């Protein structure tokens, strides 16, 4: 039964921030839980681990540092990357879609344009975190995110390295 009174709406800026945080936060949680799978998958792609199975890599890491050794490498970079990438792609999509389509129902090409635009923006924002994440996965490192970015930038330059 409707009372005819609409519930109060959140201010647009709060709604936008809520969407970005929900998109980034939900994906960050899932990625953090699955971090060991990503670490093992990345290590399997490296030359030095070419003759090892995923199970062997997981067992070796567990033997070296326990269960924490499977989660720790690159975890901070994984969470930061997902907050940026998924926050942009999931949180900004409705905003960009509505800007493109205006008051009309968005067409498929408008939806594709909005998704492509937010995907590109998310990738650009998250690229440096992807670089650090993969390097930390490979090295088994859990150094601070900013110091890892600084190391890459010093060794390879900001544009080329990150």
């Amino acid at each position: 039964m409707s009372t005819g009174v609409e519930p109060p709406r959140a201010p647009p800026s709060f709604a936008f921030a809520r969407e970005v945080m929900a998109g980034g936060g939900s994906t960050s949680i899932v990625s953090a839980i699955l971090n060991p799978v990503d670490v093992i998958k990345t290590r399997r792609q490296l030359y030095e681990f070419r003759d090892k199975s995923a199970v062997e890599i997981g067992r070796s890491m567990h033997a070296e540092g326990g269960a924490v050794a499977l989660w720790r490498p690159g975890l901070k970079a994984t969470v930061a990357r997902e907050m940026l990438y998924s926050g942009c792609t999931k949180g900004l999509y409705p905003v960009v879609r509505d800007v493109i389509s205006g008051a009309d129902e968005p067409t498929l090409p408008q939806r594709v344009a909005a998704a492509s635009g937010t995907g590109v923006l998310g990738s650009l924002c998250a690229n440096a975190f992807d670089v650090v994440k993969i390097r930390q996965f490979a090295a088994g490192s859990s150094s601070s995110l900013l110091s890892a970015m600084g190391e890459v930038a010093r060794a390879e330059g900001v544009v080329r390295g990150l």
Side-chain angles (χ1 to χ4, degrees), residues 16 22 62 81 84 91-92 94 96 100-101 110 113 127 133 151-153 155 162:
F16 168 73
H62 188 273
R81 184 247 187 238
L84 282 171
L92 291 178
V96 173
I100 290 172
S101 66
Q110 289 170 330
N127 188 64
K133 177 178 88 164
E151 289 172 24
V152 172
L162 297 173

Side-chain angles (χ1 to χ4, degrees), residues 47-71:
Y47 184 79
E48 65 192 271
F49 295 103
R50 70 188 176 283
D51 296 328
K52 293 189 176 193
S53 72
V55 172
E56 290 171 322
I57 292 169
R59 283 186 181 152
S60 171
M61 291 180 71
H62 188 273
E64 290 173 16
V68 172
L70 294 165
W71 264 277

Side-chain angles (χ1 to χ4, degrees), residues 2-15:
S2 174
T3 62
V5 177
E6 287 190 34
R9 290 187 164 181
S13 60
F14 177 74

